[in-house]
Amino acid sequence: MTWNSYRHRGETLRRVIASADLRRDGRLPMDLEGVSEAFGSELDLLGALQLRWHTRLAGRIERELVEDPMDLERAVIAAWRATADELPGVRAIVDQHREHPLDDEMAAAMTRAEVKERAFLAVMAGRASASDAGAARVGARLEAAARADWHPQPVRLQPERPTLLHRLRAALAA
């Protein structure tokens, strides 16, 4: 992949996420200009969105642990909710395609991603080790606790003026 195609893919992914956050319908926005060229298939786009979710979740957990390193479970639950608030459209797409994958290959990929994410939640909460066979079950309970009191924020029709921090984050993400 050349630098230009990589950069184009990153810009396209940002537009996909913005569209998903506005729509929140759980559909992959394959209809956006440039998506088919940047991502060859629905599975490729879904994988990129899943990676964006996981990366943001991991970073959020780290920040929560800095604030309160003694309550690991609270930090994981708070981080999951905060990430879902930041990426509500991505969360809707991931949930939709976990429940209703388009084909067997997507079903297998989503099952693997779900097991890994839930095990990660359990490990970060100090409730399991990475090698524990039951880590995903523990992580599923943590995810359920996070979802229990989480309600998506209403859609903002007028985007906020980006702060310097937001612009720096966007530049670093690119």
Side-chain angles (χ1 to χ4, degrees):
M1 179 178 288
T2 66
W3 170 249
N4 283 336
S5 60
Y6 178 78
R7 187 171 144 235
H8 175 69
R9 185 176 162 113
E11 290 170 4
T12 302
L13 184 60
R14 280 188 287 282
R15 286 189 301 107
V16 163
I17 291 170
S19 175
D21 285 346
L22 284 175
R23 292 174 10 178
R24 298 187 191 184
D25 59 3
R27 289 184 316 114
L28 285 165
M30 296 299 290
D31 56 332
L32 291 179
E33 183 181 333
V35 171
S36 296
E37 294 80 22
F39 301 93
S41 68
E42 287 92 351
L43 185 58
D44 287 343
L45 179 57
L46 183 59
L49 292 171
Q50 180 75 42
L51 180 60
R52 180 63 55 100
W53 164 263
H54 180 77
T55 303
R56 186 77 54 93
L57 176 62
R60 196 51 114 142
I61 289 172
E62 291 293 330
R63 279 182 293 222
E64 290 290 334
L65 289 173
V66 166
E67 289 179 25
D68 186 5
M70 300 309 289
D71 192 351
L72 303 178
E73 190 169 319
R74 184 218 53 84
V76 167
I77 290 170
W80 191 97
R81 289 177 183 157
T83 306
D85 284 340
E86 288 177 16
L87 297 172
V90 173
R91 185 71 255 161
I93 289 171
V94 169
D95 289 344
Q96 173 67 23
H97 289 83
R98 277 184 182 176
E99 292 293 318
H100 307 286
L102 300 178
D103 56 28
D104 291 340
E105 184 181 17
M106 184 179 284
M110 293 307 292
T111 298
R112 282 190 310 272
E114 180 179 44
V115 167
K116 287 180 179 184
E117 179 179 316
R118 289 178 172 175
F120 173 71
L121 294 174
V123 169
M124 295 306 290
R127 301 287 184 227
S129 73
S131 61
D132 285 348
R137 278 193 312 278
V138 174
R141 286 195 298 272
L142 291 166
E143 182 181 333
R147 286 178 185 273
D149 293 327
W150 177 72
H151 304 287
Q153 302 296 317
V155 175
R156 282 192 189 142
L157 297 178
Q158 282 283 344
E160 291 180 8
R161 185 170 179 234
T163 64
L164 176 61
L165 181 59
H166 285 104
R167 291 192 307 259
L168 287 172
R169 282 185 183 162
L172 289 173

